[in-house]
Amino acid sequence: MKAWEAITGSRSNSGGRERGSVVRPLVDRHPSRTITLGRVQPQAPGHRTIYCNDREANAIVRFKGNSISTTKYNILTFLPKGLFEQFRRVANLYFLTISILSFTPVSPVSPITNIVPLSMVLFASLLKEAWEDWKRLQNDKIINNTSVEVLNGRKWQNTAWKNLQVGDIVKTKADGFFPADLLFLASTNADGVCYIETANLDGETNLKIRKALEKTWDFVTPEKASEFKGEIQCEQPNNSLYTFTGNLIVDKQTLPLSPNQILLRGCSLRNTEYIVGAVVFTGHETKVMMNSMNVPSKRSTMERKLDKLILALFCVLFSMCLVGAIGSGIFLDEKFYYFGLWDPDIRPEFDPNNRLVVALLNILTLITLYSPIIPISLYVSIEGIKFFQSTKYINNDLHMYHVDSNTPALARTSNLNEELGQVEYIFSDKTGTLTRNLMEFFKCSIAGEVYGTGMTEIEMGVAQRSGFKLKQGNKSTTAKREKGFNFDDDRLMRGSWRNEPNPDMCKEFFRCLAICHTVLPEGEESPEKIHYQAASPDEAALVAAAKNFGFFFYRRTPTLIYVRESHVDKMGNVEDVPYEILNVLEFNSTRKRQSVVCRYRDGRLVLYCKGADTVIYERLAAGNNEIKKTSFLHLGQFGAAGLRTLCLAYRDLSSDMYESWNEKFIHAKSSLRDRERKLDEVSELIEKDLILIGCTAIEDKLQEGVPSCIETLAMAGIKIWVLTGDKLETAINIAYACRLIDNNMKQFVISSETDDITEVESRGDQVEIARHMKDTVKQQLLDSYNEAMHSLQTSPEVKLAFVIDGKCLMYALDPTLRVTLLNLSLNCNSVVCCRVSPLQKAQVTSLIKKGARKITLSIGDGANDVSMIQAAHVGVGISGQEGMQAVMASDFAIAQFRFLTDLLLVHGRWSYIRICKVVTYFFYKNLTLTLIQFWFTFQTGYSGQRFYDDWSQSLFNVIFTSVPVLVLGLFDKDVSACISKRYPQLYKEGIRNTFFKWRVVMGMTLFSIYQSLVIFKFVSISSSTSVDSNGKMFGLWDVSTLAFNCLLVTVNLRLLLMCNTITKWHHISVGGSLLAWYTFIFIYSALYVDKGIYSVMFVLMSTGYFYVTLVLVPVAALLSDFIYLAVQRWFFPYDYQIVQEMHVDEPESSGVGLVEIGNQLSPEDARKFAMAQLPREGSKHTGFAFDSPGYESFFASQAGVFAPLKAWDVARRASMKGKRKK
């Protein structure tokens, strides 16, 4: 089933619900039993009706089949669609136009010499497309022909997935994948539950629980399943992975359906022998296939600038043609009688009596003649270079290989390699990106009393910044540490909480932790061997804390939770207590809380609620102000220590109140229209008048090497912004711990938690709140900006930091304030945005990307980072604890934040320099080739006479100069990887775009003009007085072939001058290119062709003049380049050239063309890395799961010591020269 994972990735949308009518439930029910409802009302046309186990009834509707196709083409559309894609490129369309013009009488060149190079480029591109589509086709065949058991009569029968139809009853065995979207009917588990893994949808490896309706539990065997004749009325197919609205009508009873009864295609069955389900959606109508889409295509800044360069070449081409056209119109005159211009039948392009027509037709002639000025193989060469850089360099770098999780770096696209070398702004998530996302229960506050004596990394950092050392309490004898739990306080451990001032509140606290969750226990029912499968590591940590406090959750059924409670009535007493779970009000990003309604054995009804402090506090009952105030202060202390906080609360419910509310809840749950909104509204009715129990504090430690990485990137000129949903205090302290902010920085903080804003918010007038907030934010932005400008003017060396929270950011992003926010942010070295939503993350990224026109990079690890990742120029996903959502939406994937150092400073910088050289070299060599033809035009009366042989000119780009430039793009290296990281300031050359500015292009243009003049004039003038071995003067083809020889030698030697490193591949490519030329010209001139080229090469090589010219002309042509490079390096060196001189005597640490990796891995780790590089299909299905954020993972963070990089004070050039003189 690995083939399944190759389907195109998916991205969840929260919308997509179809309209339908509300089902009216009857009053006949029991609060703790399955609800029996009445006959469904007539449905709106927005829903679909499915008759289970009845193909004939479903055939009328003609539902789509279950066969899928992810191919881009078919046999009929491949050529037209493929060619359309290729000719969308301006260069290819240009050469198609030239090929068409070459068929006209005005063309001086043979059509075939234009068609062959274009055909070679198109063939290579179409072959690549065909190969990729063929792999998709084979993958589709494997999936469509996978076997599944379907009910046929009263027995199971094997059939292919593609043969399934809507309404079929299917059986899926353990570890098998669901072939379509199924309605879960029954399982081999007695309680009607099954466990599924959704890794192919959202990357989460933790198990989810699904529960069938009690009415269908018995349909396990084929005999019983054949009796099932239910009717499903549900929403139309949509792409919302985490919502489902529908009803099941069975035996004249209507039962509401929810996502808990739906098994989506692509998920797999775990820990269950088999399940039975009814097919609801098939093929391309399944939710995962409706989410199938590629990551948005991104074009690099270099590629967009390349388009401008191509446009500039078009302008140069038009100018050259215009000069030639005007010249031809002026030159033609009847006085040149020997041309036969007086002939009445003369062709229009030579008619001196109609000079305008002559000029216009000559433009077309010269366009075909000068067409090589646009390099036909440029795009193909760049694509090949980038692909090799991605697959062989980035993916194989051991410095970016995470041993613990066996995760290498992954370049998911090769289009943005050089963009990595120009990044100026990095936008980073905090949790799981800067931190490890391995949560540990660290402290808590119960009834206004703080428990937990540990000290976080943040607190230690604060102490160091303050100049004194905090005294950390000694570890107690009851201190315990395990996965998810790192708590030390004698007052709560081993039943000691019974002696606290408020033991009843402690008991409620522990029971809330043990009951209010969706955790699944696995393994033996003992505290030492049990394992918790949780939707998030926070939730697992809270349940682990309850276990260690003596409230051990060990078993779950669809309606009961079992907790082994210790020391409740008396010390040492242990009792297994069942709690009946009546309702679960699930967490989502809007509610920011989760609640359960449970019934004790004695009949007590309690609602337990946990969530963010902002939503819990506004739902608290009046009174207990002292506890509220004290707990709020504790929340601030926990946040300042970098801890993640949650508030816990409860409410006792009366039976009548619950019965009344539950009826409304059932109404909302069985609604086909706006079910989620109605459930949220009903939840608000009961989640009020809560009693605050306390709050929890969970520690999420920093990833290894993050501070050193951020410090290094800052030295490279990169500005780092942290965009997080955490509190202001937590975000600031994390920024301090990461060395993003220090005490030497001048800080500007814009927060909504001020007294005046709080006072306005307390009045509840939303219009007044919005007006006051906007005015306050505007004033604070202006004051901060003015102060920042004053600080920079008085002390240019000062560093600035800017902190803003989500509420203020919402108003700061208003069009009237956006410019002020942008100006202030651009002048700050570090920016922290806290309490921000996923949308705000994307908005901030776009603000810098579009407003400041700077190269941006976003990095994150969760589904809430997807929009930010896709909004930036470059998106980097961390394959961490929050599943693979961010990775599947990213351009590059790494396992740890610290790997950004290698990704940017090494690979990004190398790629940028190499691509710059490749593009400028292409521009240079093609312009030189064309200018020689242009100079020749002046000696031919602007007639359009070609100077080069057709085939020589056509193969110039495709064969004779194609390989050396590939070697330049793959192996050129100014400094080694370790030196690139030792001197991060070298990266600033990419931020400044030092190597691809217009002045660089103009410099290459001047060299091209000079060299073309030297080659043409030297050869044409000297050959006019030279003779061959037979005493004959050289003709046109002798001169042009000699000039072409000199040109090839010159441009290949010029390429070697551009290289920082000369390897055996450079020698082989340059030598091989010249050998290919001489092989071609020997064979070509040996064949009789009616072009005058016959025996030309043999005649030339029989003279000494040929060899003298072949040596002197390239030397004279390259003399200016050599002098310029020498003067530039000596008097105006680039930073990397200074570093080269500093380390000129240091030996290379690795083989040529490979990243400098000192392989210090053990044999076992090296084997794991090799295994990770094996070809395999990776899941591309992603989803934004509000109710299942997907934090769970089984990888521990990497251990070991990270050597911090040394700072580098850039040597001043004057002092550098002084040292050299000594």
Side-chain angles (χ1 to χ4, degrees):
M1 284 307 302
K2 286 185 178 180
W4 164 257
E5 299 175 352
I7 296 181
T8 309
S10 66
R11 187 160 43 257
S12 161
N13 295 317
S14 59
R17 295 184 294 277
E18 297 293 334
R19 293 186 177 182
S21 64
V22 179
V23 177
R24 301 299 182 188
L26 298 178
V27 183
D28 179 21
R29 51 166 181 70
H30 254 280
S32 60
R33 305 178 68 84
T34 304
I35 306 303
T36 303
L37 300 173
R39 178 65 182 176
V40 69
Q41 299 297 316
Q43 300 292 310
H47 74 272
R48 65 162 46 184
T49 301
I50 301 167
Y51 300 95
C52 299
N53 207 11
D54 190 346
R55 283 197 172 190
E56 292 182 1
N58 292 322
I60 301 174
V61 186
R62 295 184 179 179
F63 294 117
K64 287 189 177 181
N66 200 40
S67 177
I68 66 162
S69 174
T70 60
T71 57
K72 189 177 180 180
Y73 310 100
N74 58 39
I75 295 177
L76 297 178
T77 63
F78 176 70
L79 271 180
K81 192 173 180 180
L83 289 174
F84 174 75
E85 291 291 331
Q86 294 304 314
F87 288 122
R88 289 175 64 183
R89 288 181 172 175
V90 177
N92 287 343
L93 187 61
Y94 164 76
F95 281 105
L96 176 65
T97 306
I98 296 299
S99 299
I100 294 173
L101 281 176
S102 64
F103 281 96
T104 63
V106 300
S107 173
V109 297
S110 172
I112 194 172
T113 57
N114 281 320
I115 293 173
V116 169
L118 178 62
S119 300
M120 292 174 65
V121 171
L122 293 178
F123 178 77
S125 299
L126 289 176
L127 189 64
K128 171 178 170 286
E129 290 285 318
W131 171 249
E132 291 179 349
D133 219 42
W134 173 259
K135 290 194 294 184
R136 296 188 197 104
L137 177 63
Q138 297 305 309
N139 190 65
D140 291 343
K141 285 183 177 179
I142 294 173
I143 294 172
N144 290 330
N145 292 313
T146 302
S147 179
V148 65
E149 293 185 70
V150 65
L151 186 65
N152 186 7
R154 299 175 64 86
K155 63 179 182 179
W156 299 115
Q157 180 180 334
N158 284 325
T159 187
W161 278 21
K162 63 183 179 182
N163 297 327
L164 283 184
Q165 296 182 19
V166 172
D168 285 351
I169 307 298
V170 299
K171 171 184 174 183
T172 302
K173 296 181 180 179
D175 300 325
F177 289 84
F178 302 124
D181 289 352
L182 308 178
L183 170 63
F184 179 27
L185 298 177
S187 78
T188 51
N189 295 332
D191 50 7
V193 300
C194 71
Y195 302 94
I196 66 170
E197 183 181 281
T198 61
N200 281 328
L201 268 70
D202 50 27
E204 300 173 24
T205 56
N206 55 301
L207 301 183
K208 313 289 191 310
I209 189 171
R210 294 293 182 264
K211 177 188 174 184
L213 297 174
E214 189 174 345
K215 187 72 175 177
T216 64
W217 284 5
D218 296 332
F219 301 120
V220 179
T221 63
E223 293 78 13
K224 291 290 294 182
S226 63
E227 301 173 3
F228 178 65
K229 298 295 181 182
E231 178 183 328
I232 303 172
Q233 292 191 334
C234 65
E235 62 190 10
Q236 291 289 356
N238 59 73
N239 61 358
S240 180
L241 288 171
Y242 300 101
T243 61
F244 181 83
T245 305
N247 291 320
L248 173 64
I249 305 173
V250 139
D251 297 334
K252 297 183 179 181
Q253 296 177 349
T254 301
L255 307 173
L257 300 176
S258 71
N260 283 330
Q261 286 85 48
I262 300 301
L263 307 174
L264 298 184
R265 176 176 179 142
C267 299
S268 57
L269 185 64
R270 295 284 187 265
N271 298 352
T272 308
E273 184 180 347
Y274 70 85
I275 62 96
V276 176
V279 178
V280 179
F281 301 130
T282 52
H284 288 279
E285 290 187 339
T286 57
K287 288 180 178 289
V288 68
M289 291 304 298
M290 293 191 75
N291 273 274
S292 295
M293 62 179 65
N294 293 323
V295 175
S297 178
K298 296 180 181 179
R299 296 185 69 207
S300 69
T301 306
M302 177 77 73
E303 192 173 345
R304 289 192 292 271
K305 290 180 180 177
L306 180 58
D307 290 343
K308 294 180 181 178
L309 179 59
I310 296 295
L311 183 61
L313 287 176
F314 275 122
C315 295
V316 172
L317 171 64
F318 182 76
S319 301
M320 293 166 60
C321 294
L322 189 62
V323 170
I326 295 173
S328 64
I330 296 174
F331 177 80
L332 287 181
D333 197 299
E334 290 185 358
K335 67 180 180 180
F336 299 109
Y337 62 91
Y338 42 82
F339 287 151
L341 302 180
W342 47 267
D343 191 340
D345 296 328
I346 192 171
R347 289 161 55 184
E349 61 265 31
F350 298 115
D351 187 359
N353 297 319
N354 199 343
R355 298 176 185 271
L356 179 61
V357 174
V358 170
L360 292 176
L361 292 177
N362 203 50
I363 285 181
L364 299 178
T365 300
L366 295 176
I367 284 177
T368 59
L369 193 64
Y370 300 151
S371 61
I373 194 173
I374 310 294
I376 191 171
S377 58
L378 173 61
Y379 287 103
V380 175
S381 299
I382 290 178
E383 284 183 1
I385 290 170
K386 289 182 178 181
F387 178 77
F388 193 92
Q389 289 173 346
S390 299
T391 56
K392 298 301 180 183
Y393 292 163
I394 295 177
N395 293 358
N396 292 333
D397 188 351
L398 287 179
H399 277 162
M400 295 192 292
Y401 170 63
H402 192 226
V403 176
D404 291 352
S405 61
N406 190 28
T407 307
L410 175 64
R412 290 174 47 80
T413 178
S414 59
N415 295 335
L416 305 172
N417 293 358
E418 72 277 10
E419 202 89 321
L420 292 171
Q422 297 180 274
V423 173
E424 188 169 357
Y425 285 87
I426 292 179
F427 301 94
S428 174
D429 178 39
K430 183 188 77 68
T431 303
T433 304
L434 300 177
T435 59
R436 301 182 184 185
N437 204 15
L438 293 175
M439 309 301 177
E440 292 180 336
F441 188 94
F442 198 71
K443 291 184 179 183
C444 64
S445 171
I446 305 175
E449 185 70 26
V450 172
Y451 297 94
T453 60
M455 188 177 297
T456 65
E457 293 177 342
I458 305 298
E459 289 176 306
M460 296 178 186
V462 171
Q464 292 176 359
R465 293 194 304 273
S466 302
F468 59 89
K469 190 173 183 180
L470 288 178
K471 184 178 180 181
Q472 188 172 1
N474 296 324
K475 287 284 184 180
S476 65
T477 56
T478 58
K480 186 174 182 180
R481 183 167 187 174
E482 64 176 55
K483 182 181 179 182
F485 189 74
N486 182 21
F487 183 82
D488 179 21
D489 198 322
D490 289 336
R491 295 175 293 170
L492 293 186
M493 302 301 293
R494 298 180 182 177
S496 299
W497 55 269
R498 298 175 72 250
N499 301 320
E500 285 302 293
N502 203 331
D504 291 336
M505 198 61 84
C506 290
K507 191 190 306 181
E508 294 291 353
F509 183 89
F510 301 144
R511 281 178 176 161
C512 184
L513 295 181
I515 296 173
C516 185
H517 58 77
T518 57
V519 175
L520 299 176
E522 283 188 342
E524 297 183 21
E525 295 179 354
S526 66
E528 296 79 17
K529 297 183 179 180
I530 200 165
H531 176 70
Y532 292 127
Q533 288 278 2
S536 72
D538 298 79
E539 199 163 51
L542 295 176
V543 176
K547 178 185 72 173
N548 286 280
F549 290 137
F551 289 73
F552 171 39
F553 160 64
Y554 65 91
R555 187 188 306 163
R556 176 190 287 275
T557 70
T559 57
L560 293 174
I561 275 183
Y562 292 87
V563 179
R564 187 168 298 156
E565 299 184 353
S566 306
H567 320 297
V568 176
D569 296 325
K570 63 179 181 178
M571 293 297 292
N573 185 40
V574 178
E575 183 181 8
D576 290 346
V577 182
Y579 294 93
E580 185 178 7
I581 305 301
L582 303 179
N583 307 90
V584 177
L585 309 180
E586 296 181 346
F587 169 88
N588 62 41
S589 61
T590 304
R591 286 168 39 78
K592 296 183 180 178
R593 62 191 183 278
Q594 179 187 45
S595 300
V596 297
V597 179
C598 67
R599 176 183 280 131
Y600 281 47
R601 287 182 299 181
D602 59 5
R604 179 192 178 196
L605 286 172
V606 184
L607 174 120
Y608 285 113
C609 183
K610 67 181 181 185
D613 54 352
T614 53
V615 297
I616 297 296
Y617 261 75
E618 63 187 22
R619 288 166 175 78
L620 294 179
N624 292 326
N625 292 329
E626 189 62 32
I627 293 180
K628 293 178 186 177
K629 183 177 180 181
T630 307
S631 298
F632 190 78
L633 293 175
H634 294 163
L635 286 167
Q637 293 172 7
F638 294 155
L643 299 172
R644 298 161 62 88
T645 58
L646 277 179
C647 285
L648 308 183
Y650 78 99
R651 179 188 182 187
D652 283 306
L653 306 173
S654 66
S655 180
D656 292 339
M657 177 196 298
Y658 173 72
E659 294 291 336
S660 174
W661 173 84
N662 195 38
E663 185 173 345
K664 296 184 180 70
F665 184 75
I666 294 167
H667 271 271
K669 194 172 183 181
S670 58
S671 173
L672 281 180
R673 179 183 299 166
D674 296 333
R675 179 182 293 179
E676 288 187 1
R677 181 181 60 80
K678 292 179 180 179
L679 284 174
D680 288 347
E681 291 174 355
V682 172
S683 299
E684 291 283 352
L685 299 177
I686 198 171
E687 291 175 328
K688 63 181 181 179
D689 297 330
L690 303 176
I691 298 174
L692 183 65
I693 305 173
C695 55
T696 63
I698 294 177
E699 183 180 20
D700 185 13
K701 294 182 180 293
L702 286 176
Q703 283 188 15
E704 178 190 347
V706 166
S708 298
C709 176
I710 289 179
E711 190 175 22
T712 301
L713 295 176
M715 293 165 59
I718 299 174
K719 299 177 178 65
I720 301 176
W721 292 25
V722 174
L723 312 179
T724 178
D726 283 330
K727 294 180 180 180
L728 183 71
E729 298 82 2
T730 306
I732 291 176
N733 282 286
I734 288 291
Y736 268 109
C738 296
R739 301 178 194 169
L740 192 63
I741 298 178
D742 58 49
N743 285 336
N744 296 323
M745 285 184 172
K746 187 174 184 60
Q747 299 180 22
F748 303 98
V749 180
I750 299 180
S751 171
S752 61
E753 298 177 1
T754 59
D755 293 337
D756 58 333
I757 293 178
T758 304
E759 181 183 350
V760 174
E761 287 180 335
S762 64
R763 299 173 194 158
D765 187 342
Q766 296 301 321
V767 176
E768 184 184 1
I769 293 173
R771 182 193 58 77
H772 182 77
M773 283 283 294
K774 185 174 181 180
D775 293 342
T776 303
V777 171
K778 179 179 181 179
Q779 189 60 46
Q780 288 183 335
L781 279 175
L782 290 173
D783 292 344
S784 298
Y785 177 70
N786 293 331
E787 189 176 350
M789 291 298 97
H790 177 72
S791 299
L792 290 174
Q793 290 171 2
T794 56
S795 178
E797 301 299 324
V798 70
K799 292 185 177 181
L800 308 178
F802 177 46
V803 183
I804 187 171
D805 67 11
K807 281 186 180 180
C808 295
L809 183 63
M810 179 174 65
Y811 294 97
L813 289 171
D814 185 89
T816 59
L817 301 180
R818 192 178 299 164
V819 176
T820 308
L821 173 66
L822 179 63
N823 291 333
L824 174 60
S825 302
L826 292 178
N827 286 286
C828 294
N829 300 84
S830 302
V831 176
V832 177
C833 301
C834 57
R835 292 291 198 188
V836 292
S837 66
L839 176 61
Q840 286 179 317
K841 290 183 178 183
Q843 288 175 332
V844 170
T845 305
S846 298
L847 178 68
I848 300 300
K849 178 182 177 182
K850 298 177 181 179
R853 298 187 181 275
K854 304 291 185 181
I855 307 299
T856 59
L857 179 147
S858 290
I859 180 170
D861 72 324
N864 60 335
D865 302 316
V866 168
S867 56
M868 174 180 71
I869 286 173
Q870 293 180 346
H873 289 92
V874 182
V876 178
I878 299 246
S879 50
Q881 310 294 328
E882 296 193 24
M884 300 292 286
Q885 301 97 321
V887 169
M888 293 306 169
S890 67
D891 306 302
F892 299 89
I894 55 179
Q896 297 278 286
F897 182 88
R898 69 176 186 272
F899 294 159
L900 274 182
T901 304
D902 288 272
L903 187 64
L904 299 183
L905 302 191
V906 179
H907 298 286
R909 185 174 168 277
W910 282 352
S911 297
Y912 165 72
I913 294 176
R914 289 165 175 167
I915 296 299
C916 286
K917 288 187 176 182
V918 167
V919 172
T920 52
Y921 178 73
F922 260 105
F923 168 80
Y924 148 78
K925 68 183 180 69
N926 280 64
L927 184 59
T928 306
L929 172 76
T930 308
L931 283 175
I932 294 175
Q933 174 70 65
F934 180 66
W935 307 136
F936 180 67
T937 302
F938 289 95
Q939 294 190 355
T940 60
Y942 313 97
S943 62
Q945 167 65 39
R946 66 184 187 275
F947 183 62
Y948 306 112
D949 175 73
D950 293 353
W951 283 107
S952 300
Q953 177 176 294
S954 299
L955 299 178
F956 176 79
N957 278 309
V958 179
I959 295 179
F960 303 143
T961 60
S962 60
V963 179
V965 73
L966 293 178
V967 173
L968 171 68
L970 294 176
F971 300 115
D972 189 56
K973 183 172 53 181
D974 55 351
V975 293
S976 64
C978 60
I979 291 180
S980 291
K981 291 184 288 186
R982 192 187 307 177
Y983 302 106
Q985 284 82 353
L986 294 175
Y987 188 83
K988 293 180 180 179
E989 293 174 329
I991 296 177
R992 296 191 297 264
N993 195 24
T994 303
F995 304 113
F996 197 58
K997 291 183 176 179
W998 282 110
R999 64 177 181 83
V1000 176
V1001 175
M1002 291 305 300
M1004 295 299 289
T1005 302
L1006 294 176
F1007 289 130
S1008 182
I1009 294 172
Y1010 167 76
Q1011 291 176 13
S1012 61
L1013 280 171
V1014 168
I1015 294 173
F1016 177 74
K1017 288 298 183 181
F1018 195 104
V1019 173
S1020 60
I1021 294 174
S1022 62
S1023 62
S1024 62
T1025 57
S1026 302
V1027 295
D1028 61 17
S1029 57
N1030 296 323
K1032 297 180 179 180
M1033 293 186 64
F1034 288 133
L1036 169 63
W1037 301 114
D1038 300 301
V1039 176
S1040 67
T1041 304
L1042 178 58
F1044 197 81
N1045 275 274
C1046 296
L1047 173 66
L1048 279 181
V1049 173
T1050 301
V1051 296
N1052 278 289
L1053 291 178
R1054 183 62 177 87
L1055 180 138
L1056 296 179
L1057 286 177
M1058 295 176 68
C1059 297
N1060 286 293
T1061 52
I1062 305 295
T1063 69
K1064 63 178 181 180
W1065 301 110
H1066 291 78
H1067 296 124
I1068 292 173
S1069 62
V1070 171
S1073 296
L1074 294 176
L1075 181 62
W1077 156 248
Y1078 285 112
T1079 302
F1080 163 78
I1081 194 60
F1082 278 136
I1083 297 174
Y1084 185 48
S1085 60
L1087 302 175
Y1088 180 76
V1089 182
D1090 189 19
K1091 289 184 179 180
I1093 200 74
Y1094 180 66
S1095 296
V1096 163
M1097 197 63 192
F1098 299 102
V1099 172
L1100 285 174
M1101 296 190 69
S1102 65
T1103 66
Y1105 165 74
F1106 169 78
Y1107 301 101
V1108 173
T1109 304
L1110 197 59
V1111 172
L1112 293 181
V1113 170
V1115 171
L1118 293 174
L1119 183 62
S1120 62
D1121 300 70
F1122 184 81
I1123 293 173
Y1124 168 78
L1125 292 175
V1127 172
Q1128 179 269 318
R1129 187 179 182 93
W1130 188 260
F1131 296 103
F1132 311 99
Y1134 292 116
D1135 291 338
Y1136 78 86
Q1137 292 173 333
I1138 298 176
V1139 175
Q1140 284 177 339
E1141 296 297 327
M1142 293 168 60
H1143 298 273
V1144 66
D1145 297 325
E1146 292 186 10
E1148 284 286 339
S1149 57
S1150 72
V1152 172
L1154 299 178
V1155 180
E1156 284 75 4
I1157 302 169
N1159 189 350
Q1160 301 173 356
L1161 300 181
S1162 66
E1164 175 62 20
D1165 291 337
R1167 185 191 68 81
K1168 287 171 64 179
F1169 176 74
M1171 292 294 291
Q1173 299 302 307
L1174 292 176
R1176 56 186 175 184
E1177 295 291 345
S1179 167
K1180 296 181 181 178
H1181 301 294
T1182 69
F1184 197 132
F1186 289 120
D1187 54 347
S1188 301
Y1191 298 96
E1192 181 62 36
S1193 179
F1194 303 102
F1195 298 138
S1197 60
Q1198 183 172 357
V1201 179
F1202 182 81
L1205 298 172
K1206 284 187 176 182
W1208 175 51
D1209 294 326
V1210 180
R1212 293 182 63 83
R1213 289 173 177 171
S1215 61
M1216 187 64 204
K1217 290 179 221 171
K1219 292 180 181 179
R1220 291 182 57 84
K1221 289 176 182 178
K1222 292 179 182 178

